[in-house]
Amino acid sequence: MGVTLKQVIKNLDAFPRAEEHLLHKTQSGALVSVIGIVIMATLFLHELGYYLSTYTVHQMSVDLKRGENLPIHINMTFPSLPCDVLSVDAIDMSGKHEVDLDTNIWKLRLNSYGHIIGTEYISDLVEKEHTHHKHDHDKDHHEDSEQKIHLQTLDESTENTIKKVKQALTDGEGCRVYGTLDVQRVAGNFHISVHGLNIYVAQMIFGGAKNVNVSHIIHDLSFGPEYPGIHNPLDDTTRILHDTSGTFKYYIKVVPTEYRYISKEVVPTNQFSVTEYFSPMKDHDRTWPAVYFLYDLSPITVTIKEERRSFLHFITRLCAVLGGTFAVTGMLDRWMYRLMETITEPKAKTSVSR
């Protein structure tokens, strides 16, 4: 009974072994074996890298965040406007100026070659002495203010400012604006313009709105930290005007986003899409050129999760790849052996007959 059981177990062996003296090693077999080992090692490393790499899964849900702030990272250059005339202003949909929030905005003076020649820190988004004039560029107020200011005499500091800015314009000075605006998480806009100047001073400097060149380069504009694969559509955007002026408007749809790393770390940020519009200056326009960024928030939040393939999936693919390579190299070895036999047998018969 024991002998029979052993025999049954032996019959289940899927890998029968030939006697040692029946095995015949050839040079072609060695060559195929080396090629097979190289292929299997390459495929193993490929599968290992595939297993260790991560992929992302996107999920959407309703955005339930309330009471949080929205960080706006700005890095822009205005090659044709000095820093003294540029102002940064932000306003939300309720009409409230964002002057009570902490901001980190710097203005860097640039010479005509683009090199930094000075730095200025902006503590508030609306300069105190110009708060009243900042958004009063509609027709009625424009006319009233101009009539009143014409009646006033320019003080010495204002005259010095005008001379300084005119000299900067003659020297070809530009300005780089960069930093972070921390605004409320509601729809709103921010813009960079010469609206910080009162109208009469602006008229004295530029000689008219048509001479205000708001050409700009957007190096970076984002609404939160970066994450792998993010694309900010306005990065490296260049808009240069020649012999014309006008107002640029960028309509931005902000999509709240969470990126979850494989380590469970969560990065709250935002993606956005943008539509651009340019309105050239006309003779009857009372407004002054500016660059507006009008943003709105999507009610949908996107969650991007990093995930890794299962270990069982890795083992399954590995067995398939290595087993398939072994089978193919075995077939190739048999074919080469038979080919060599076919070539050598006629030679052997010819030598025997002689």
Side-chain angles (χ1 to χ4, degrees):
M1 188 72 178
V3 175
T4 306
L5 182 60
K6 285 183 178 180
Q7 189 63 38
V8 170
I9 293 174
K10 279 186 177 181
N11 290 337
L12 295 176
D13 186 5
F15 307 99
R17 290 164 180 78
E19 295 293 335
E20 190 70 28
H21 68 277
L22 297 176
L23 297 176
H24 180 54
K25 295 183 179 180
T26 62
Q27 290 183 349
S28 61
L31 178 62
V32 172
S33 298
V34 171
I35 294 173
I37 291 172
V38 171
I39 293 174
M40 284 190 282
T42 303
L43 293 177
F44 171 77
L45 293 175
H46 176 269
E47 289 299 321
L48 182 62
Y50 183 72
Y51 164 67
L52 294 177
S53 65
T54 58
Y55 63 98
T56 56
V57 176
H58 292 66
Q59 298 175 341
M60 290 187 292
S61 59
V62 177
D63 183 23
L64 301 177
K65 294 179 182 177
R66 289 190 293 178
E68 297 183 11
N69 290 335
L70 180 68
I72 305 175
H73 304 283
I74 308 170
N75 187 358
M76 297 177 62
T77 295
F78 289 81
S80 301
L81 289 176
C83 287
D84 288 327
V85 301
L86 278 181
S87 62
V88 184
D89 193 11
I91 187 171
D92 64 27
M93 65 184 300
S94 66
K96 176 187 175 185
H97 287 104
E98 303 290 353
V99 296
D100 56 343
L101 295 177
D102 292 332
T103 61
N104 289 296
I105 298 292
W106 282 265
K107 292 194 294 186
L108 304 182
R109 289 177 57 204
L110 306 176
N111 62 18
S112 58
Y113 299 101
H115 300 146
I116 298 172
I117 55 175
T119 304
E120 179 186 348
Y121 176 71
I122 306 176
S123 58
D124 288 328
L125 296 185
V126 182
E127 297 176 19
K128 294 178 182 177
E129 65 267 25
H130 301 309
T131 302
H132 183 64
H133 296 286
K134 203 65 130 150
H135 286 279
D136 298 333
H137 282 270
D138 55 81
K139 294 181 181 179
D140 297 334
H141 184 79
H142 181 97
E143 292 171 355
D144 293 341
S145 298
E146 194 167 7
Q147 289 173 359
K148 291 177 183 177
I149 296 170
H150 266 301
L151 299 176
Q152 301 174 355
T153 57
L154 295 175
D155 56 26
E156 187 177 349
S157 63
T158 304
E159 289 181 349
N160 290 336
T161 299
I162 293 174
K163 289 179 181 178
K164 178 183 175 185
V165 173
K166 282 188 173 181
Q167 185 61 46
L169 284 169
T170 303
D171 295 340
E173 275 194 29
C175 187
R176 186 161 186 166
V177 180
Y178 80 97
T180 302
L181 303 179
D182 198 11
V183 299
Q184 293 184 9
R185 198 178 182 82
V186 293
N189 78 77
F190 66 94
H191 61 274
I192 304 173
S193 63
V194 298
H195 294 174
L197 300 172
N198 69 47
I199 299 164
Y200 184 60
V201 172
Q203 190 73 28
M204 290 284 291
I205 293 172
F206 294 102
K210 277 193 170 184
N211 299 322
V212 179
N213 188 340
V214 290
S215 296
H216 57 279
I217 303 166
I218 304 174
H219 306 287
D220 171 57
L221 180 71
S222 59
F223 291 81
E226 293 187 351
Y227 63 84
I230 190 173
H231 172 65
N232 296 320
L234 284 177
D235 287 2
D236 300 320
T237 297
T238 301
R239 298 291 180 265
I240 303 297
L241 298 176
H242 300 283
D243 301 324
T244 185
S245 189
T247 295
F248 289 89
K249 291 185 179 180
Y250 297 95
Y251 295 91
I252 296 171
K253 177 66 75 172
V254 179
V255 181
T257 303
E258 278 189 348
Y259 192 90
R260 297 178 180 270
Y261 286 92
I262 196 75
S263 61
K264 306 302 181 185
E265 179 188 355
V266 179
V267 177
T269 183
N270 300 278
Q271 305 177 73
F272 69 93
S273 60
V274 63
T275 302
E276 179 182 349
Y277 177 72
F278 175 70
S279 176
M281 289 291 298
K282 298 177 182 177
D283 293 334
H284 60 273
D285 283 348
R286 295 286 186 174
T287 58
W288 286 68
V291 179
Y292 283 86
F293 298 88
L294 303 97
Y295 56 87
D296 191 11
L297 280 88
S298 168
I300 301 298
T301 184
V302 176
T303 301
I304 306 173
K305 294 195 299 183
E306 284 186 349
E307 294 189 358
R308 183 169 287 155
R309 297 158 187 87
S310 69
F311 184 71
L312 287 178
H313 184 259
F314 168 64
I315 293 297
T316 302
R317 287 178 60 96
L318 196 61
C319 290
V321 167
L322 299 184
T325 305
F326 188 79
V328 169
T329 52
M331 292 171 57
L332 182 61
D333 177 52
R334 287 194 294 272
W335 292 341
M336 290 185 66
Y337 182 73
R338 289 173 183 172
L339 180 62
M340 294 299 294
E341 278 190 334
T342 304
I343 295 173
T344 55
E345 277 183 3
K347 292 182 179 180
K349 289 180 180 179
T350 304
S351 62
V352 169
S353 62
R354 287 181 181 176

